[in-house]
């Protein structure tokens, strides 16, 4: 294998490049990225990137001294539109073909838009996925006090709401479910995180579906399914993401809510692997394919995927457990493990109602997951213990 093309200038794409070099690969590496920026860290985009007085430099992970060591050809600002695994060729939007012996798919995911929305939304409506998204939202938030409506109370929505409150905006969060993160955390702990908003001046409306955004050229209000209308000068839609697999139509690769991979991130083509948000990896212990939208998966999966790519077969499997964190209103929330709906939860320390606690999920007396708010040290201890179970 003399050449590898990494499709996607994402965090997982960058770590695939690093894994290739770390594992001794000295051939040609080409990184193709739709964004004009080199890979950067996304978590700060919903937090300090929005709130600091001066716009921070992109949280780039490719330091200048690394660039020459990695020896990469960057093709940025161009979208891949077609992959032909048999011909070992990827086609760019401008028609240019790029040939390689192996491919790493790291195209990530795109922010979902509101169901039923068609055409261009009125100005003032934002999603938050890319650096350019963050710059556009930041410009609005720093222009003066606004009435902000955040649609979706997951981690991104909650972080954006926290940032907006920190800037002095009037903030309402609208969540269609009965509670935020109910499937992930269960009712008790979902309620604890929902309780972070109110005391800090953010209105949280749960069980409220959005019917439409109103306004001719600029958004003026958000209409809810129950008939209520919320005034809005800025709207942030944070209702999840969709894996970017549309460009793989006709490639012959199996796609179903992501690129289907075996336990080692390898696809049906022996010289194609997938990593990060776009990869739906088989987990034998679950008997299912799982797509993980977490920072840890984006940096851990490439090590395994690249090893298998270079070997030409699956010689290693990805066994990482889910882990994610969120910073809201000055509180660090951390979760690790896999919770099932029948698991019980036990608070070990602190008080959930105050946003300061450590809790463990259990099944048949064995821990399955751990959740904490502002308890980093005991959380880390339990997370390590969980990995040994």
């Amino acid at each position: 294998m003399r050449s590898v093309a990494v499709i996607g200038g994402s965090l997982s794409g960058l770590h695939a490049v690093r894994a290739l070099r770390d594992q001794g690969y000295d051939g040609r590496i080409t990184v193709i990225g739709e964004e004009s920026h080199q890979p950067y860290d996304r978590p700060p985009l919903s937090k300090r990137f929005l709130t600091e007085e001066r716009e921070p430099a992109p949280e780039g992970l490719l330091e200048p001294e690394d660039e020459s060591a990695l020896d990469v050809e960057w093709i940025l600002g161009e979208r891949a539109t077609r992959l032909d695994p048999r011909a070992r060729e990827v086609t760019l939007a401008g028609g240019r073909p790029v040939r390689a012996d192996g491919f790493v798919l790291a195209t990530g995911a795109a922010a979902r838009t509101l169901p039923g929305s068609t055409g261009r939304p009125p100005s003032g409506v934002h999603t938050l996925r890319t650096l350019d998204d963050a710059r556009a939202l930041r410009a609005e938030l720093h222009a003066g006090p606004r009435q902000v409506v955040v649609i979706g109370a997951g981690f991104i929505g909650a972080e954006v709401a926290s940032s907006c409150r920190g800037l002095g905006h009037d903030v309402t969060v609208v969540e269609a479910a009965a509670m935020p993160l109910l499937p992930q955390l269960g009712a008790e702990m979902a309620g604890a995180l929902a309780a972070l908003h109110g005391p800090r001046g953010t209105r949280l409306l749960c069980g409220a579906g959005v019917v439409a955004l109103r306004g001719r050229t600029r958004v003026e209000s958000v209409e809810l399914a129950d008939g209520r209308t919320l005034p809005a000068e800025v709207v942030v839609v944070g209702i999840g993401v969709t894996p970017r697999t549309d460009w793989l139509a006709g490639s012959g690769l199996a796609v179903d809510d992501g690129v289907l991979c075996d336990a080692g991130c390898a696809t049906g083509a022996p010289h194609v692997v997938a990593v990060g948000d776009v990869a739906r990896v088989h987990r034998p212990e679950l008997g299912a394919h799982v797509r993980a939208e977490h920072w840890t998966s984006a940096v851990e999966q490439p090590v395994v995927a690249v090893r298998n790519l270079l070997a030409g077969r699956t010689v290693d499997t990805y066994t990482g457990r889910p882990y994610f964190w969120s910073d809201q209103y000055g509180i660090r929330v951390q979760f690790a493990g896999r919770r099932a709906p029948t698991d019980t939860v036990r608070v070990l320390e602190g008080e959930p109602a105050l946003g300061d606690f450590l809790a463990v999920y259990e099944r048949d007396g064995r821990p399955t997951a751990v959740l904490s708010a502002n308890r980093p040290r005991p959380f880390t201890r339990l997370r390590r213990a969980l990995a040994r179970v």
Side-chain angles (χ1 to χ4, degrees):
M1 188 171 290
R2 297 183 177 180
S3 59
V4 174
V6 178
I7 318 302
S10 59
L11 182 66
S12 57
L14 172 60
H15 279 268
V17 172
R18 288 182 168 173
L20 283 163
R21 294 306 188 209
D22 289 345
Q23 294 178 30
Y25 177 75
D26 60 1
R28 179 167 60 88
I29 300 176
T30 304
V31 177
I32 300 167
E34 183 175 1
E35 293 186 64
S36 59
H37 319 287
Q38 287 191 341
Y40 55 88
D41 215 359
R42 294 186 191 276
L45 297 184
S46 57
K47 299 181 275 291
R48 74 179 192 86
F49 189 90
L50 297 180
T51 58
E52 289 192 1
E53 184 176 352
R54 292 187 177 182
E55 180 181 309
E59 292 291 325
L61 295 181
L62 189 63
E63 297 83 6
E65 59 269 27
D66 283 340
E67 191 167 354
S68 59
L70 294 178
D71 188 20
V72 175
E73 176 191 357
W74 297 95
I75 302 177
L76 300 177
E78 286 209 57
R79 185 173 188 267
T81 58
R82 183 173 180 270
L83 175 68
D84 186 340
R86 289 189 177 182
R88 303 203 178 196
E89 183 176 276
V90 61
T91 304
L92 306 185
R96 173 185 173 186
V98 176
R99 293 184 57 81
D101 298 320
F103 298 89
V104 180
L105 309 184
T107 46
R112 286 192 185 124
T113 56
L114 286 173
S117 59
T118 58
R120 187 181 181 88
S123 62
V125 178
H126 299 265
T127 56
L128 183 56
R129 181 68 184 174
T130 69
L131 177 59
D132 291 338
D133 291 340
R135 282 176 168 159
L137 177 58
R138 175 188 162 82
E140 296 241 37
L141 298 179
H142 284 257
R146 295 283 190 271
Q147 290 180 308
V148 180
V149 174
V150 179
I151 302 173
F155 286 119
I156 293 296
E159 289 172 358
V160 169
S162 170
S163 296
C164 289
R165 282 298 301 146
L167 291 168
H169 298 293
D170 180 273
V171 183
T172 301
V173 178
V174 179
E175 170 58 48
M179 266 187 284
L181 303 168
L182 188 58
Q184 294 89 349
L185 303 181
E188 183 177 349
M189 293 296 102
L193 294 194
L196 297 179
H197 295 285
R200 293 157 182 88
T202 299
R203 291 179 294 277
L204 175 62
L205 306 180
C206 292
V210 173
V211 173
L213 305 179
R214 302 300 183 191
R216 291 188 177 181
T217 58
R218 183 173 181 88
V219 68
E220 297 174 1
S221 63
V222 176
E223 183 180 341
L224 304 183
D226 60 11
R228 284 179 290 178
T229 298
L230 306 176
E233 296 168 284
V234 175
V235 172
V236 183
V237 180
I239 55 175
V241 297
T242 303
R244 305 194 73 162
T245 58
D246 56 308
W247 69 285
L248 294 171
S251 67
L253 298 183
V255 173
D256 181 9
D257 186 35
V259 179
L260 295 183
C261 304
D262 69 7
C265 301
T267 71
H271 49 278
V272 181
V273 297
V275 293
D277 291 355
V278 78
R280 195 166 168 216
V281 179
H282 185 250
R283 300 303 297 255
E285 73 275 19
L286 302 176
H289 286 80
V290 175
R291 191 170 60 81
E293 300 171 3
H294 307 310
W295 187 92
T296 47
S297 302
V299 302
E300 292 174 352
Q301 286 178 352
V303 176
V304 173
V306 162
R307 186 170 293 124
N308 295 328
L309 178 67
L310 296 178
R313 59 191 178 90
T314 299
V315 297
D316 194 8
T317 58
Y318 177 67
T319 58
R321 290 175 181 249
Y323 165 69
F324 55 83
W325 76 91
S326 177
D327 294 321
Q328 305 171 29
Y329 307 105
I331 297 171
R332 169 60 63 96
V333 177
Q334 294 173 282
F335 179 92
R338 287 193 178 88
R339 169 198 168 269
T342 55
D343 290 354
T344 58
V345 63
R346 182 162 54 97
V347 177
L348 303 180
E349 299 178 10
E351 177 54 59
L354 300 179
D356 180 14
F357 65 90
L358 176 72
V360 62
Y361 295 88
E362 297 173 321
R363 187 184 314 145
D364 300 326
R366 296 167 65 87
T368 58
V370 57
L371 173 69
S372 77
N374 274 358
R375 300 268 171 156
R377 289 187 177 180
F379 172 87
T380 300
R381 185 183 70 248
L382 281 183
R383 182 189 176 195
R384 288 173 179 164
L386 191 66
R388 296 191 292 267
V389 175

